Amino acid sequence: MKQEYDQLREYMKQSQKTVAVTGAGISYLYGMRRLKQSVGRMNAGRIFSASYVRKNPEKFYAVMKDAFLDATFVKGPSTVHKQLAELERQGMLYGIVTQNLDCLHTVAGSKNVIEFQGSFRDNVCIDCGARCYDYQVWNQGHMPRCEKCGAPLMPTAFCRDNRASADVSRENMRRAADMISEADLVLVIGTTGFRSEEYLSRMRADTKLVQINPSETQFDRMAALNIRADAAEVFDAVLNG
């Protein structure tokens, strides 16, 4: 592993703009539940609708709490989230593109984060359409409500029957692709590549891709370097090696 860690450090030293792509692996490794575990027998597509939330606001909140919010506000960021924030603080990491919804990169201190599936940072009122850009509204122990009309809030990108949802999703992916297009080094961490074709299509031909994942994925063949190790171990070596 030492040779691989040395190679990664050299890539990062030479890079002018390194971008990390993260997936659910960095959250599941420390015990976050999967959405389907929290949803149980309920239909996930039905839950993520204004009509369901209007009738069942506290049930929706309970699912979000079990699937995401306890991890965000009780457990807090994992070691990897904190390491990536430190790499950004030291100027070694330009930004993060993530499929994760949990805001844990932001809680850990990362500043330049693009959540291409959306997150609890961007919310919309299901009745009047007012927007609320603050994930802390979900840290009150109950369903957040609109300050203007009192109706429930939902993460905008989750609310599939709201007109803003599709626009937000497209804009998030556009920003993710733009960030990837600027990178000369892409670190793929804990993801099997959900929707990766939409942003990696913008990666330059001369950009190096390094995968950090104990398991094989679709990135194996395109990676300049595959590191089969826990990401926390890898970044500990980068930061302290």
Side-chain angles (χ1 to χ4, degrees):
M1 283 295 178
K2 183 180 183 302
Q3 183 178 355
E4 294 173 339
Y5 294 168
D6 288 345
Q7 183 65 73
L8 175 58
R9 278 193 293 267
E10 185 61 25
Y11 282 160
M12 295 186 74
K13 182 179 178 181
Q14 294 174 357
S15 173
Q16 298 298 309
K17 191 168 285 188
T18 298
V19 172
V21 175
T22 68
I26 69 169
S27 295
Y28 293 152
L29 283 175
Y30 83 115
M32 177 179 282
R33 287 169 62 79
R34 298 177 185 273
L35 178 60
K36 63 182 179 181
Q37 292 176 296
S38 302
V39 170
R41 295 183 179 180
M42 294 183 287
N43 183 286
R46 179 168 167 257
I47 287 173
F48 290 117
S49 68
S51 58
Y52 179 87
V53 172
R54 190 174 287 110
K55 295 177 182 177
N56 308 279
E58 295 307 322
K59 286 185 179 180
F60 178 82
Y61 175 78
V63 170
M64 296 300 100
K65 183 177 185 298
D66 189 64
F68 304 109
L69 302 178
D70 281 349
T72 302
F73 299 117
V74 179
K75 290 184 178 180
S78 69
T79 298
V80 180
H81 292 103
K82 295 174 183 176
Q83 290 169 324
L84 291 173
E86 179 61 19
L87 288 169
E88 183 185 34
R89 191 189 70 79
Q90 293 188 19
M92 300 172 68
L93 184 68
Y94 173 68
I96 297 170
V97 168
T98 186
Q99 72 185 59
N100 298 340
L101 316 170
D102 50 37
C103 297
L104 282 167
H105 285 300
T106 299
V107 176
S110 294
K111 304 299 182 186
N112 195 12
V113 181
I114 298 172
E115 298 144 327
F116 65 77
Q117 288 201 95
S119 76
F120 295 90
R121 293 200 294 172
D122 179 357
N123 304 285
V124 63
C125 173
I126 64 172
D127 280 355
C128 74
R131 301 286 281 277
C132 174
Y133 300 94
D134 182 5
Y135 68 91
Q136 288 290 351
V137 298
W138 294 92
N139 191 21
Q140 304 174 74
H142 57 78
M143 187 70 182
R145 297 275 174 170
C146 175
E147 291 185 353
K148 292 185 177 180
C149 73
L153 296 175
M154 283 186 72
T156 305
F158 297 12
C159 189
R160 295 172 181 171
D161 48 6
N162 183 282
R163 288 180 298 177
S165 177
D167 292 339
V168 168
S169 296
R170 281 193 296 268
E171 176 62 14
N172 288 344
M173 186 57 76
R174 183 196 65 77
R175 293 176 59 229
D178 285 349
M179 183 181 284
I180 293 294
S181 73
E182 298 173 6
D184 54 21
L185 177 63
V186 174
L187 309 179
V188 177
I189 309 157
T191 178
T192 57
F194 177 70
R195 295 183 66 184
S196 60
E197 68 282 355
E198 297 180 57
Y199 55 83
L200 288 184
S201 62
R202 295 280 304 282
M203 190 173 76
R204 303 197 311 259
D206 61 343
T207 297
K208 291 184 176 67
L209 187 148
V210 173
Q211 177 178 223
I212 303 169
N213 199 323
S215 305
E216 294 182 4
T217 75
Q218 64 175 338
F219 298 111
D220 285 25
R221 293 183 180 180
M222 65 186 299
L225 177 65
N226 281 298
I227 302 180
R228 301 284 188 226
D230 181 89
E233 177 186 323
V234 175
F235 290 121
D236 181 65
V238 170
L239 287 164
N240 303 307

